[in-house]
Amino acid sequence: MSNSAKNNNPTVEEEEEEDEGDVFLGESDVIHEFDVDAEDLPEADDDDDNEEEEFDENDDSVHTFTGHKGELYALACSPTDPTLVATGGGDDKGFLFKIGNGDWAAELPGHKDSVSSLAFSYDGHLLASGGLDGVVQIFDASSGTLKCVLDGPGGGIEWVKWHPRGHIVLAGSEDCSLWMWNADKEAYLNMFAGHNQSVTCGDFTPDGHLFHTEGLICLDINSSSSLVISGSKDGSVHIVNIVTGKVVSSLTSHTESVECVKFSPSSATIPMAATGGMDKKLIIWDLQHSTPRFICDHAEGVTCVTWVGTSKYLATGCADGTVSVWDSLLGNCVHTFHGHQDAVQAISVSANTEFIVSVSVDNTARVYETSEFLNKTA
């Protein structure tokens, strides 16, 4: 037998060395025993990796903001800068960030309770943040610098709104009051009393007149300042003449709480309105006949709705974490975006309508590109 053949056949000693790769401990090697609850053991890393991969595959967002450490409740897109977004949530903080610029974010500190509402002024220069601490803060929108603090309400701030042509800010409070300030002069202007419950919604009409109501969850005012549409916890929707205060139409189709209402843009060829509720329905209404044009079913409750600029499309946020885009003239869903892992709380559209932004109780804000459906359906 040749030397090479001998080398290919391991000796007995070599086989024993290879077998020592598996080492076993005997009872005599145990020094001390500890009882461990199986629930305290970490899950296998392989499972975590698989879950992460599966989540990434279902994420349609082009930008995700994860600066918050709690659930997000408030959202606003700048009316002048298509990339600038403000978010607020249960970690008592607000943030400014820019779509596509992951290296820039400005924290908006100061609140001592959840940030419940955010709104940019008409010119995009100022940002108002309302908190459940009863305070409204005004920031320079370009830098995030705090300009002033507006206080007075004895309860948490439910919402904030800006005058359509000036730096006058309006806020509704849990203490049943409505407050108005001049943000430029840091001056209190007026306090409106009379409600016997928390003021949950309100707004300036487009021509600058004040309009507010009670016992409602949501409202919207049409572009001509003539009508207001409101949704209630009892599932009812009413359209009211602002001048006379009389109900001109009652829209009855929802069977549970109405969470969001929006008039169609003034450019729409057919006057319409959209309402969403916890009965898992988006209803697109024909306002000429006060009847539903389309009833669009969702997997869970519809929490928020907005029109995509002046187009025929509208977007809804759902309690299942999805954002869907609908064609108001055909009543069909043209696209559904995935990414959030929990209920969507608010949605907004960028100034150039190229992005839909959503915030969720999963602690994130996500950005979706509208070109994905607009280009395909144009």
Side-chain angles (χ1 to χ4, degrees), residues 194-257:
H195 295 296
N196 55 20
Q197 291 186 13
S198 175
V199 183
T200 54
C201 52
D203 204 351
F204 288 101
T205 65
D207 60 10
H209 290 91
L210 174 66
F211 181 83
H212 62 97
T213 187
E214 61 183 321
L216 305 174
I217 293 178
C218 49
L219 66 79
D220 189 38
I221 300 169
N222 69 351
S223 58
S224 63
S225 300
S226 58
L227 300 173
V228 60
I229 184 172
S230 58
S232 174
K233 185 178 291 186
D234 63 8
S236 63
V237 176
H238 298 292
I239 296 180
V240 178
N241 183 300
I242 290 179
V243 177
T244 65
K246 294 182 178 180
V247 175
V248 296
S249 182
S250 294
L251 310 178
T252 56
S253 279
H254 285 288
T255 56
E256 293 187 41
S257 171

Side-chain angles (χ1 to χ4, degrees), residues 12-73:
V12 173
E13 292 180 354
E14 288 173 339
E15 288 180 350
E16 289 178 352
E17 289 178 359
E18 289 178 0
D19 289 340
E20 289 179 357
D22 295 330
V23 179
F24 298 94
L25 296 177
E27 292 185 2
S28 61
D29 297 312
V30 178
I31 298 174
H32 190 72
E33 294 184 358
F34 294 90
D35 293 328
V36 178
D37 191 336
E39 294 182 356
D40 295 333
L41 294 174
E43 296 180 0
D45 291 339
D46 290 344
D47 293 339
D48 289 343
D49 292 340
N50 290 337
E51 289 179 4
E52 185 67 28
E53 289 176 3
E54 180 180 353
F55 173 70
D56 289 341
E57 290 176 359
N58 293 328
D59 189 353
D60 300 319
S61 59
V62 296
H63 186 112
T64 303
F65 180 70
T66 58
H68 288 276
K69 303 302 180 184
E71 299 178 354
L72 275 72
Y73 306 133

Side-chain angles (χ1 to χ4, degrees), residues 5-215:
K6 289 181 181 179
N7 292 338
N8 291 334
N9 294 305
T11 65
V12 173
E13 292 180 354
E14 288 173 339
E15 288 180 350
E16 289 178 352
E17 289 178 359
E18 289 178 0
D19 289 340
E20 289 179 357
D22 295 330
V23 179
F24 298 94
L25 296 177
E27 292 185 2
S28 61
D29 297 312
V30 178
I31 298 174
H32 190 72
E33 294 184 358
F34 294 90
D35 293 328
V36 178
D37 191 336
E39 294 182 356
D40 295 333
L41 294 174
E43 296 180 0
D45 291 339
D46 290 344
D47 293 339
D48 289 343
D49 292 340
N50 290 337
E51 289 179 4
E52 185 67 28
E53 289 176 3
E54 180 180 353
F55 173 70
D56 289 341
E57 290 176 359
N58 293 328
D59 189 353
D60 300 319
S61 59
V62 296
H63 186 112
T64 303
F65 180 70
T66 58
H68 288 276
K69 303 302 180 184
E71 299 178 354
L72 275 72
Y73 306 133
L75 166 69
C77 286
S78 167
T80 55
D81 183 345
T83 66
L84 187 61
V85 180
T87 58
D91 55 2
D92 307 346
K93 294 179 181 178
F95 282 93
L96 283 169
F97 70 90
K98 290 192 174 183
I99 298 171
N101 187 350
D103 296 331
W104 186 87
E107 182 179 335
L108 308 176
H111 285 292
K112 298 178 180 179
D113 206 335
S114 298
V115 177
S116 55
S117 185
L118 292 162
F120 284 96
S121 60
Y122 75 101
D123 54 10
H125 292 170
L126 301 178
L127 173 70
S129 69
L132 295 185
D133 54 4
V135 169
V136 174
Q137 297 187 142
I138 306 299
F139 296 90
D140 179 281
S142 61
S143 64
T145 303
L146 179 66
K147 292 181 65 67
C148 64
V149 177
L150 308 174
D151 55 16
I157 303 298
E158 292 273 7
W159 50 269
V160 290
K161 299 282 186 177
W162 288 93
H163 192 281
R165 294 192 293 272
H167 288 169
I168 306 299
V169 65
L170 185 69
S173 171
E174 291 178 329
D175 69 358
C176 311
S177 65
L178 191 70
W179 292 72
M180 186 161 40
W181 301 269
N182 183 316
D184 288 331
K185 298 180 179 179
E186 304 177 23
Y188 157 81
L189 295 180
N190 208 342
M191 189 273 284
F192 305 90
H195 295 296
N196 55 20
Q197 291 186 13
S198 175
V199 183
T200 54
C201 52
D203 204 351
F204 288 101
T205 65
D207 60 10
H209 290 91
L210 174 66
F211 181 83
H212 62 97
T213 187
E214 61 183 321

